[in-house]
Amino acid sequence: MHANEPVTIVFSSDGNYAPYLMVAIASALEHLQEGRPCRVYVMDCGIPVFWKARLNEVAASRRGAEIRYLDVTELDRRLDAMFRERGSKGGVTGWSYTTYYRLFLADMLPEARRTLYLDVDILVCDDLGKVFDAEMGGKSIACVKDVCLCDDASCVEYRRRLLGCGHDMESYFNAGILLLNLEKWRGMGDLQKRVENAFCNLPHLIFPDQDILNHVFREDKLMLHRRWNFLTPQLDGAQLPPELERETAAMVAGGDFGIVHYAGGKPWKDPLKAPLAALWWAQARRTGLDGDIIYHEHVLLRRYLQARKEAGRLHSLRWQLWIVRMRLLFAGARRRHTLQARLQRLEQKMSMARKAKSIKL
């Protein structure tokens, strides 16, 4: 393969996920072969300047690594148009636009031969060059079977629904870790149109971007070993066949992971319960990022508690306003003046509370 070609990685993140993105990038750079250049692209969904500075520091910690930010404004416009065209063919609006950005990477990286797309909730445990340099045999995409959806007995209802949508549940893959042959994507000419048609016309999208990719690349994919997308829900109540259980136990015992994908419980949210959370926090501490994570979680907790307080205050004011208005309906002339004055004060408080609720910490 191209020995000196930079390993190209793409993430998509907003400000809320930026601290966890730092851990993902740090783990990728730490395990990369010495001397191998690396180019990290981030689809920027509104990352604040503070977190960009910290991300740049993480990238600068390794020689030959650089980080670039991609403007997604045009992608948002395209997605707006696609959603309008899709109309009422099964609601998918509950998913963030960020999940769809991977569908447009051939356009976003016009000079890249291939790229690794990685979700933010991952920990890299091996050299990504091994995947990036894989012989793809002319395939458009390299991916890992979603063993949770395909083989977990507790996911039978999801499996039934996916089968009903025409997916092959012997090789349905998880879209969180993908090696994309962008050179072939561009050479196919109509591929982007096929992707957009699938988005607009498939009647059911249970896991939207993932279903689209599985539909488009059904016969055009290379399956990678599942160590390169080890889904942590396998360790959290999954009911896998005996042979997969044995393989999973062996991988955990030997720490034989390429990429750990925290697709279930997040280690930063519940470090005591999330499977393999200790690995993630060890990486955060090793690279000096644990303080950033704790600070960020503290800020999010403050925002949550403040929002709860403001919501409670608004709820109380609504009830008080309703009661005063009801009393006004039946009040006599002497009482009406007092109630109107109280109503005016409550409306002013309500206006101030609504303004306070709109201000972020």
Side-chain angles (χ1 to χ4, degrees):
M1 296 300 291
H2 304 240
N4 294 319
E5 179 183 7
V7 172
T8 304
I9 309 170
V10 179
F11 294 95
S12 181
S13 179
D14 59 12
N16 288 330
Y17 272 77
Y20 324 131
L21 173 60
M22 291 194 300
V23 177
I25 292 175
S27 66
L29 297 179
E30 180 180 297
H31 290 90
L32 208 58
Q33 182 182 353
E34 186 68 32
R36 183 75 184 265
C38 182
R39 188 171 295 150
V40 179
Y41 291 94
V42 177
M43 313 275 266
D44 181 5
C45 311
I47 302 175
V49 173
F50 172 81
W51 290 119
K52 281 187 179 179
R54 292 293 288 122
L55 285 163
N56 293 339
E57 290 173 13
V58 171
S61 66
R62 187 186 188 280
R63 186 177 179 184
E66 60 175 317
I67 187 168
R68 301 179 183 180
Y69 300 94
L70 301 174
D71 184 3
V72 296
T73 306
E74 180 57 33
L75 291 189
D76 287 342
R77 282 196 285 265
R78 288 174 68 175
L79 284 165
D80 284 338
M82 289 165 63
F83 268 102
R84 285 195 297 272
E85 185 176 343
R86 180 172 176 81
S88 60
K89 301 184 188 76
V92 293
T93 53
W95 298 76
S96 166
Y97 271 17
T98 58
T99 196
Y100 300 104
Y101 293 155
R102 71 198 80 186
L103 304 175
F104 305 97
L105 284 173
D107 294 340
M108 295 297 287
L109 302 175
E111 297 178 0
R113 184 178 66 89
R114 57 171 60 179
T115 190
L116 274 166
Y117 177 87
L118 306 177
D119 276 351
V120 173
D121 56 347
I122 58 108
L123 182 73
V124 179
C125 303
D126 200 354
D127 181 5
L128 289 180
K130 296 176 182 178
V131 177
F132 187 80
D133 295 334
E135 178 52 58
M136 296 184 71
K139 300 295 185 182
S140 294
I141 193 169
C143 48
V144 178
K145 179 182 177 181
D146 193 320
V147 295
C148 293
L149 289 174
C150 294
D151 299 298
D152 182 358
S154 65
C155 290
V156 64
E157 179 57 26
Y158 275 127
R159 195 149 50 248
R160 184 189 65 79
R161 292 171 63 191
L162 288 167
L163 280 167
C165 295
H167 293 292
D168 176 11
M169 297 313 293
E170 292 299 317
S171 62
Y172 182 88
F173 60 85
N174 179 276
I177 285 87
L178 302 169
L179 176 61
L180 308 177
N181 186 348
L182 300 182
E183 200 169 48
K184 185 181 179 186
W185 281 34
R186 288 187 288 267
M188 292 171 72
D190 68 335
L191 178 62
Q192 198 61 53
K193 188 63 178 174
R194 287 167 54 199
V195 167
E196 294 182 14
N197 283 340
F199 178 94
C200 296
N201 298 312
L202 287 176
H204 302 289
L205 293 176
I206 301 168
F207 302 100
D209 62 297
Q210 188 164 285
D211 289 355
I212 291 167
L213 291 168
N214 272 276
H215 173 80
V216 173
F217 297 113
R218 183 186 179 100
E219 306 296 338
D220 188 19
K221 60 181 182 282
L222 170 71
M223 302 305 291
L224 301 171
H225 192 281
R226 68 188 181 106
R227 70 183 296 270
W228 291 110
N229 189 353
F230 185 86
L231 298 164
T232 55
Q234 296 173 79
L235 305 177
D236 195 13
Q239 301 170 37
L240 299 176
E243 64 274 14
L244 284 180
E245 286 280 11
R246 288 192 292 271
E247 185 180 277
T248 299
M251 291 171 68
V252 172
D256 185 25
F257 310 116
I259 299 174
V260 176
H261 186 183
Y262 297 92
K266 309 305 180 190
W268 54 86
K269 288 296 182 188
D270 199 345
L272 297 181
K273 290 185 179 180
L276 302 178
L279 288 178
W280 192 89
W281 278 101
Q283 177 70 56
R285 287 193 299 273
R286 194 161 57 247
T287 45
L289 300 174
D290 51 331
D292 292 286
I293 306 299
I294 294 168
Y295 162 74
H296 183 65
E297 289 300 307
H298 174 68
V299 170
L300 291 181
L301 178 61
R302 283 181 58 207
R303 287 179 179 172
Y304 170 75
L305 294 175
Q306 184 67 22
R308 284 282 301 272
K309 181 180 177 182
E310 290 163 353
R313 179 170 169 75
L314 281 171
H315 183 72
S316 174
L317 286 169
R318 287 192 189 100
W319 271 108
Q320 291 178 59
L321 280 165
W322 183 83
I323 292 169
V324 171
R325 285 169 181 152
M326 289 300 102
R327 286 178 176 174
L328 269 169
L329 291 175
F330 305 101
R334 294 177 60 186
R335 182 72 170 145
R336 182 173 291 275
H337 179 75
T338 302
L339 287 172
Q340 285 176 338
R342 187 178 177 191
L343 180 65
Q344 187 176 12
R345 290 194 299 272
L346 285 171
E347 287 175 341
Q348 289 174 346
K349 288 181 179 180
M350 175 68 85
S351 177
M352 292 172 63
R354 281 174 174 158
K355 287 179 181 177
K357 191 173 185 295
S358 67
I359 298 172
K360 294 182 179 180
L361 292 176

